[in-house]
Amino acid sequence: MARVVVDVMLKPEILDPQGQAVANALPRLGVNDVASVRIGRRVEIEFAGEADLDRAKEIADKLLANPVIEDYAVRVEA
Amino acid sequence: MARVVVDVMLKPEILDPQGQAVANALPRLGVNDVASVRIGRRVEIEFAGEADLDRAKEIADKLLANPVIEDYAVRVEA
Amino acid sequence: MRIGVVTFPGSLDDGDAARAARYSGAEVVRLWHADPELYGVDAVVLPGGFSYGDYLRCGAIARFAPVMETIAKGARDGLPVLGICNGFQILCEAHLLPGALTRNQHLHFRNRDQKLRIEAAATAWTNGFDSGQEIVIPVKNGEGCFVGSEELLDRLEANGQIVARYVGENPNGSMRDIAAIRNEAGNVVGIMPHPEHAIDLLTGPSVDGLTFFTSVLAHLAGAAQPVEEEVAA
Amino acid sequence: MTAVDIDVDTVERALATADEEQPFAELGLQPDEYERIQQILGRRPTQSELAMYSIMWSEHCSYKSSKIHLRQFGEKKPPSERMLAGIGENAGVVAITDKLAVTFKVESHNHPSFVEPYQGAATGVGGIVRDILAMGARPVAVMDALRFGAADHPDTARVLPGVVAGVGGYGNCLGLPNVGGEIVFDPCYQGNPLVNALCVGVLPVDGLQRKEADGPGNIVVLMGAKTGRDGIGGVSVLASATFDSESEQQRPAVQVGDPFMEKLLIESCLELYASKLIVGVQDLGGAGLTCALTETSASAGTGMSVQLEKVHLREASMQPHEILASESQERMLLIVEPAKLDAVLGIATLWGVSATAIGVVTDTGRLVIDWHGQTVVDVPPGSLVDDGPVYARPLKEPNDLPLLIADRAETLPRPANPEELRETLLRMIASPNLCDKSWVTEQYDRYVLGNTILAQPEDAGVIRIDEETHLGVALSCDGNARFARLDPYEGAKLALAESYRNVAVTGAVPIAVSNCMNFGSPEDPGVMWQFAEAVRGLADGCLELGIPVTGGNVSFYNQTGAVPIHPTPVIAVLGIHEDVRHRVPMGFSQEGDLLYVLGT
Ligand SMILES: Nc1ncnc2c1ncn2[C@@H]1O[C@H](COP(=O)(O)OP(=O)(O)O)[C@@H](O)[C@H]1O
């Protein structure tokens, strides 16, 4: 078994209401030194055999990310 | 500005219907070598000053992760 | 009797909860998330909706509202609290109820009229029902799947803390068909379906929901009595 | 603030560089239109001005192809004392009693929903809700009329779930019950699905809000979400002149909705209305600040002086023309007397919504916009709103129409015996267009607010608007594009009649009509003919039934390549229900009831 991680984040210029809501809540927890929060998805793909980065990229392209609003990064996890 | 990343994943024993839905869709894309998919959240915290790991942990504990169902990992991003 | 209904930013069924409390004969006091004061209410309803947009996790941000601190304290002292849908999620996030509510197994928001079986009539909010009674009230949620460890679930069963179960098709994949639970003391109840939408046949599938509100009034009236009995005895 | 290094096209610069070439054609402006702009200004427009004219004179904002046809709705309008606001306003408003009024409107969000189904549909709901809010009303229910390609086409599997989740995601989170709609599958929508959203709101008769920026000296306030590079689409060509192609990529056309922010915006606006704290209000829709600033000042005949750098930005690097063109969601523009500014900002703060004074109303008759102390826009606002081009485009009945009409249903094989009849019936009720729609409707909250009297699967939605008197309204929206393809005039009338009947059979009296006209390219004479016929049909139908069209929306360019969708007029009818306790649901209520057929 080998794990590939795909991090999917909204493109920087796209509004992230989730991150914004969390950032706005922080002062109530007494946290004042955070400039911004962005929230995306972390997808762990467990391959039966070898980790297959190209395959993972293909899956990300087709299923995991919407290229119109999201970017993704793929990496093998140690 | 410095970024801390908090990865929040459902605990292994908690069912992840979203991950399962992706896994189930894979054979239709011709992908047959994936054993499982799990989907969690990736939270990017941008600190105004220095990256503050302890702060990030505190935020994760209180807000970002629900310890009943989720685990998290915190790291400074290069 | 005064029932407080809390409004968080993003609360949606607060007007409905207030209407249901009014129909049951209670005086309604609207409470505001940013105001810790409870204005002497005898019971509190945390209504449905999408507090703070339900971003991050449902109820995760609302839990930190100033009013929640007072409510948490009150709940530990026996104040009856009913969390409906988003209110249930907030109660779990605030650890006033065990377990957690997660994304529906089928991944869709689902709104339908749902049959439930009342399993525990001995709570502040369900004493007007008979144990085993079946009722119909609307369910509508995207994250109503109750989860907990097997150990927790066994404990809830053993303690009679499961207040209601789905009958027929489980609308969200909730473990052991759980629709509602209570805390150990029985004053705090969380329910995923919406009793406040079943108080009038004109606008809902039944009037079964009203009993939750009349129950708490009976509970409060009853709670006043034992003290007198003690005095008498 | 003057320390900022400004590299923008100012009025001063425009005067100095009169011959600079500008990408007006890429922005969709015709050479004669560009010439008109220069005449109006007496110089070449600045980048920002060019962006503003291109937006306001676009088909979407100026109704340049449809205007001459839509006039019929006013000309043929039966007299109605109930109408408090009509076509030209954000939404039509009709009085229900001496004290209560309702406002409703249908709007399309077709193209964005094809690109990003979830966000496209979600922001479609968000946009129509703000239209209703801008009239002074509390939004109380939504409906959605949807059209998709073939049910078994792979792309339908991508678009439909996203659209439905988006309509539900936004409406549910706003707490608006969804009380009905339509879903129709037809291959003609394969590359161009339709997402039409309807919203209805309730207001006190004396609480009607105006958009006029009256009273020189009054403050212009922008309230709601920060402004980002959402949906600035075509205007990005202005950037490509000065930016490299790398940064060009950073200009997304997709808007992301934040229903939570919209909910807060609704509550703050309603509180502002109730406390009578504002002079005017306008929602920011498709054309963002450009439309809001020009419409509010033009309709009042005033001017405005705006400091654009005061707009809260999501990205600091945004240029003035981008800020003016941004379609960021969940924003409203307010006109406020100076003495009431603090109270207004206080209410916004209470709800956690940001609000910023960005300018003042003037009596100059000019909209002057500064960017860090330099003037980037100086225009007569009316020239953007009212003086846009108007076209009488050529009309021609499509060539294939006689053939289509000749191919009559009578030539189809008919079931010859009970077996075949049974078989046909079963096939029909299992077909995508007739089957049970609960997979969709169960994703919508129909109970929230506690006033839903009838919703899916009924033919019309009925909601209570007054708990004391049991007063309610009934709503239906319908369209049949196959009828309209064969005869757009009759097709529009039929859609109106169906909607009217749906409302009437609940026990309500129909009083007002809204519509969304979904058509192909107006530059195609065949499409233009279909449009003209449909509008004529609707106007005539309304005259015959004695109810006015109070508003609507036109969506052109719904086509794939040269092939337009079937003409799809979606007609919404609103009726008054005197006592919702007497509503008539469609199900048989008890055994032994008698069945009658009425009509011919
Ligand atoms: N997109 C939609 N949104 C909300 N309700 C819908 C939608 N599509 C259909 N409905 C509702 O589902 C029910 C059944 O729809 P449909 O089969 O089209 O009925 P009919 O053909 O009788 O109009 C109706 O109540 C209709 O309002």
Side-chain angles (χ1 to χ4, degrees), chain C residues 1 20-27 214 217:
Chain C
M1 298 291 177
R22 212 172 60 233
Y23 273 34
S24 73
E27 184 190 334
T214 52
L217 296 185

Side-chain angles (χ1 to χ4, degrees), chain A residues 62 65-70, chain D residues 108-126 144 146-148 154-171 189-197 253-257 439 443-444:
Chain A
K62 287 198 188 152
N66 177 351
V68 180
I69 51 173
E70 293 168 326
Chain D
S108 66
H109 222 216
N110 303 337
H111 298 119
S113 301
F114 185 61
V115 178
E116 215 305 304
Y118 184 97
Q119 294 297 344
T123 53
V125 174
D144 57 320
L146 311 178
R147 301 289 185 280
F148 300 104
D155 211 42
T156 304
R158 171 185 74 94
V159 176
L160 183 145
V163 164
V164 169
V167 170
Y170 206 98
Y189 304 110
Q190 200 64 68
N192 199 119
L194 303 184
V195 176
N196 291 182
V254 175
Q255 310 130 35
V256 170
W439 184 86
Q443 296 188 48
Y444 303 153

Side-chain angles (χ1 to χ4, degrees), chain D residues 144 146 178 180-183 435 437 440-441 444 455-459:
Chain D
D144 57 320
L146 311 178
N178 185 310
E182 293 184 289
I183 310 156
C435 71
K437 306 294 193 315
V440 170
T441 56
Y444 303 153
Q456 34 275 21
E458 301 289 339
D459 286 336

